[in-house]
């Protein structure tokens, strides 16, 4: 490209080449009149990605280059398309009036739009942040592993944070963070290697921008931060010693300044260690629990977020997402959120008033972001004004709340009256999206503007009067006065009208143009007035633009204050949203304990319950405790509901940690430091690794990092390899989690390896459970009820029988099973199947009955038992440990027993 740029030799093409050299890695949009043009390789690329025609343009003595152009008024759409495809676009504007320019019009790149720095609405998702991340590995002397500096910004909302990590698993942590953030663009020093990022590139559209290593030099980076935040040291932020973090943040800030070409004053706060104080959810867990993205498809459908998010503002939506991916781990923080949610749940009136106020608040963060960058439009400021107007109501509604958190939020709301008043005085009631000839500024705000408008309006009246006067004078009633860009105002007479007045133009008419059906004229008088009118309109446009710009600056000056309010509004929105969800889903407030107990009565899977109607969802209990049931081993046939059950336990635990109510009859949930999952075989193939290898990598991560305070969800580990391999691994993993001091994580282990159920005999803290199924005539009925005890292992043979496998095969299978269970050798059989062996097989079958070993205590299934089943009330009682129950829980159990007794009679 650089070589061919030298061949650009007309003055304009030389100007182009100069700009292109400054932005070699961007597609350069070069403004020419009413078009943005792209040339050479840029044009080929734009042509392909935008599906527009590529032509040729002369570039000087050496011939021509490819050219593709888009009309300026449609440019945003085209830019958005390129950026969504992961490209950067540099936009060069004409920065002087072509009419006034001597020779070549001056042009400058006014902004660079990239995936991670977009601020335009068309490029942003309302309820998701648009993160740009800078990574900077720095090797300390004498150390073999680098310290990774990380900086994160969302220029559309003003978020800016830095952090660093030198942990052994630094790369894994970075991946987790990038997954959580769904970063759109990553900045790396051009000499850094980061192959560990590859899975991210494969899984989603992510732009990597290599920046000069110089941008990451710690000292200049620090200076840039000091200058930007106007401080003497970074100590106040707690960032002074984070050299690698500072390096990353400096490079990121420099990039923002280059791309935005503005002061980005709304980036006014620097946060450090942005993920601290929250539970760690590794990338695998985020995905496999389908928190914000589905496993099968990328969409948000069927995710926990889609079920619980009822926020009404975009910043609330973004915060809800952040809460979900960064659950709290401090008990009192969780309790204050729960208390606030509870307050909303209990008070319909509060919910309604706050809901109404929130409905009028739009994306304060992004509006202020656009105002700071200089591309907020009139409608943006109108929307901001509407938002500010709602703040007093919000403040007042929450002032007397019982929740300390809500009271505190209320007291921190600053309605910014002065700004709201200015906007109210300056802007018309419903401002248009763009500046347009005098439609934006309210009458009475600027005497100058009003005066020019008055003149202009008068002149228009004058034109109407002039027309009427001329029509009468000339004697052509339908005489027209029109306007076009070439001659300005003119009088038009049709041929018929001309004939009617004698064929000659009236006195004083100067002929300007002959058209198909008549002639156009001007008069001295008309031209004089035209001058005033046109001038007035230009002046109106110029003055309005100037006034609006001042207004925009006023907003930008208050960016920090508006952002503070926006953050408070987002919190209120989230808390209220959690209450709405709790009410419509009949959720309960969880108790939080620090004793390692997870006791959920009649828990439900929040997503499945919301989307599945048939069969109706069956609730289940979870009872985990460090001394009694640290590991729950769940067996049961395929499709019985094992995976659903263990995910449900994880989801409810997570929800409680974010301060949400949970779908259950009651829940007492232990504080956990991490939730780990190894769930199902998700589509690991895109990563180019075998499923089994991925499974083992994930398992390794769990075993290395789990603590006694963690919750571990293991689903069918070992499935990806041969039976004995898989069983051996599953067995050893189970023992490890059970035995290793300090790592005895609460574990829910779903497995199809029936052999593992033998562990219970030797491990008092491990309990067997299974999901009940019933054999009914020729089919299996799934009851979805979790019951103590191991599943029947011979289910497979029953299934084979139902599926129509010939009787001799089924009989022989029973026989082999019987021998294997008895530890006898099985000899291959050759010859016909005899009567005698069939009888033996039937005895084996009877021994291994498929009926559940305990009665599910749900009312729905009871009628399915026609033989005398064990008494469900008794079974339920067996699970109760009176020493552990709070009085309230005891009452709940009593109520439950009562219910069981009623359904049985
Ligand atoms: P498994 O892991 O044992 O093979 P899953 O947990 O994947 O079984 O469940 C299979 C299907 O059974 C689910 O897709 C769901 O439709 C249904 N299911 C699971 N649990 C329940 C439940 N508690 N109530 C109602 N339906 C359920
Ligand atoms: Mg499963």
């Amino acid at each position: 490209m650089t070589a061919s740029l030298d061949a650009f030799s007309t003055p304009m093409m030389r100007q182009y080449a100069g700009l292109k050299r400054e932005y070699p890695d961007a597609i350069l949009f070069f403004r020419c009149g009413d078009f943005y043009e792209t040339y050479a390789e840029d044009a080929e690329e734009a042509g392909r990605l935008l599906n527009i025609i590529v032509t040729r343009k002369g570039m000087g003595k050496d011939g021509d280059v490819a050219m593709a152009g888009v009309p300026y008024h449609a440019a945003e759409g085209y830019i958005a398309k390129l950026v969504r495809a992961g490209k950067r676009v540099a936009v060069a504007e004409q920065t002087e009036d072509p009419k006034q320019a001597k020779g070549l019009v001056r042009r400058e790149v006014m902004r660079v739009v990239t995936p991670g720095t977009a601020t335009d609405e068309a490029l942003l998702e309302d309820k998701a942040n648009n993160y740009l991340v800078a990574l900077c590995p720095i090797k300390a002397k004498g150390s073999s592993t680098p310290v990774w500096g990380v900086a994160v910004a969302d220029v559309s909302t003003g978020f800016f944070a830095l952090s660093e990590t030198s942990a052994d698993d630094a790369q894994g942590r970075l991946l987790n963070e990038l997954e959580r953030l769904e970063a759109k663009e990553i900045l790396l020093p051009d000499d850094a290697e980061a192959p560990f990022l590859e899975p991210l590139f494969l899984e989603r559209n992510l732009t990597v921008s290599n920046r000069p290593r110089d941008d990451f030099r710690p000292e200049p980076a620090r200076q840039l931060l000091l200058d930007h935040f106007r401080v003497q040291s970074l100590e106040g932020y707690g960032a002074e010693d984070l050299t690698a973090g500072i390096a990353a943040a400096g490079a990121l800030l420099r990039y923002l300044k280059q791309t935005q070409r503005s002061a980005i004053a709304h980036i006014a706060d620097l946060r450090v260690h942005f993920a601290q104080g929250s539970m760690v959810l590794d990338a695998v867990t985020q995905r496999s629990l389908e928190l914000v993205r589905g496993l099968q498809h990328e969409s948000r459908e069927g995710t926990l977020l889609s079920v619980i998010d009822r926020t009404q503002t975009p910043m609330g939506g973004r915060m809800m997402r952040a809460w979900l991916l960064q659950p709290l781990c401090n008990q009192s923080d969780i309790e204050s959120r729960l208390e606030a949610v509870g307050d909303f749940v209990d008070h319909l009136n509060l919910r309604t008033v706050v809901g109404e106020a929130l409905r009028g608040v739009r994306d304060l963060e992004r509006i202020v972001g656009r105002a700071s960058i200089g591309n907020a439009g009139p409608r943006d400021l109108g929307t901001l004004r509407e938002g500010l107007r709602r703040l007093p109501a919000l403040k007042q509604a929450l002032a007397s709340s019982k929740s300390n958190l809500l009271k505190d939020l209320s007291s921190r709301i600053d309605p910014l009256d002065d700004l709201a008043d200015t906007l109210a005085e300056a802007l018309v009631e419903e401002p248009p999206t763009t500046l347009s000839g005098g439609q934006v500024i309210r009458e009475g705000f600027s005497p100058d503007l009003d005066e020019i408008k008055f003149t202009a309006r008068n002149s228009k009246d004058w034109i109407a009067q002039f027309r009427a006067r001329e029509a009468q004078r000339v004697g052509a009633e339908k005489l027209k006065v029109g306007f076009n860009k070439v001659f300005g105002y003119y009088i038009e007479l049709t041929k018929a009208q001309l004939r009617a007045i004698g064929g000659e133009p009236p006195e004083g008419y100067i002929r300007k143009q002959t058209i198909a059906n008549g002639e156009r004229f001007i008069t001295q008088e008309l031209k004089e007035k035209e001058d005033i009118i046109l001038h007035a309109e230009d002046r109106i446009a110029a003055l309005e633009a100037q006034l609006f710009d001042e207004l925009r600056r006023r907003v930008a000056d208050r960016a920090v204050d508006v952002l503070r309010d926006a953050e408070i509004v987002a919190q209120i929105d989230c808390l209220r949203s959690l209450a709405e969800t709790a009410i419509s889903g009949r959720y309960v407030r969880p108790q939080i304990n620090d004793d390692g107990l997870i006791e959920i009565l009649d828990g439900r899977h929040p997503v499945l319950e919301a989307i599945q109607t048939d069969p109706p969802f069956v609730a289940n209990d979870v009872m985990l405790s460090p001394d009694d049931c640290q590991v729950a081993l769940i067996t049961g046939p395929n499709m019985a509901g094992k995976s659903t059950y263990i995910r449900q336990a994880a989801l409810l635990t997570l929800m409680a940690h974010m301060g949400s109510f949970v779908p259950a009859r009651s829940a007492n949930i232990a504080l956990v430091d991490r939730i780990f999952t190894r769930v199902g075989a998700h589509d690991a193939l895109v990563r180019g690794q075998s499923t089994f290898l991925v499974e083992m990598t994930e398992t390794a991560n769990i075993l290395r990092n789990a603590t006694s305070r963690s919750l571990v969800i293991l689903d069918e580990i070992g499935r990806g390899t041969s039976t004995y391999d898989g069983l051996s691994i599953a067995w050893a993993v189970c023992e490890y989690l059970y035995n290793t001091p300090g790592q005895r994580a609460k574990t829910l282990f779903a497995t199809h390896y029936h052999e593992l159920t033998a562990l219970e005999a030797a491990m008092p803290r491990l309990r067997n459970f299974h999901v009940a199924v019933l054999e009914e005539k020729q089919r299996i009925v799934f009851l979805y009820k979790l019951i103590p005890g191991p599943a029947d292992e011979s289910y497979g043979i029953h299934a084979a029988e139902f599926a129509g496998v010939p009787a001799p095969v089924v009989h022989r299978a029973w026989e082999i099973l019987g021998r294997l269970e008895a530890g006898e050798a099985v000899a291959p059989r050759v010859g016909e199947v005899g009567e005698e062996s069939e009888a033996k097989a039937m005895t084996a079958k009877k021994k291994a009955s498929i009926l559940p070993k305990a009665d599910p205590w749900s009312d729905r299934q009871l009628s399915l038992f026609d033989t005398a089943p064990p008494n469900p009330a008794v079974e339920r009682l067996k699970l109760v440990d009176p020493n552990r129950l709070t009085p309230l829980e005891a009452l709940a159990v009593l109520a439950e027993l009562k219910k069981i007794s009623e359904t049985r009679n």
Side-chain angles (χ1 to χ4, degrees), residues 602-641:
D602 281 345
R604 286 126 39 207
H605 190 293
V607 179
L608 204 56
E609 155 179 76
I611 59 180
Q612 174 177 308
T613 49
D614 186 33
F617 194 82
V618 178
N620 272 308
D621 299 350
V622 181
M623 296 283 165
L624 294 176
S625 73
D627 311 321
D628 195 39
C629 181
Q630 179 217 329
V631 180
L633 194 77
I634 296 130
T635 41
N638 250 340
M639 294 304 284

Side-chain angles (χ1 to χ4, degrees), residues 608 612 615-620 636-645 648 715-716 771 784:
L608 204 56
Q612 174 177 308
F617 194 82
V618 178
N620 272 308
N638 250 340
M639 294 304 284
K642 301 183 297 298
S643 301
T644 307
Y645 174 76
Q648 173 181 319
D715 197 355
E716 309 274 15
V771 196
Y784 306 116

Side-chain angles (χ1 to χ4, degrees), residues 49-67:
L49 293 171
L50 300 175
N51 204 6
I52 54 175
I53 295 170
V54 181
T55 56
R56 315 285 305 172
K57 171 156 178 149
M59 60 173 173
K61 57 185 180 328
D62 292 329
D64 53 11
V65 282
M67 177 191 86

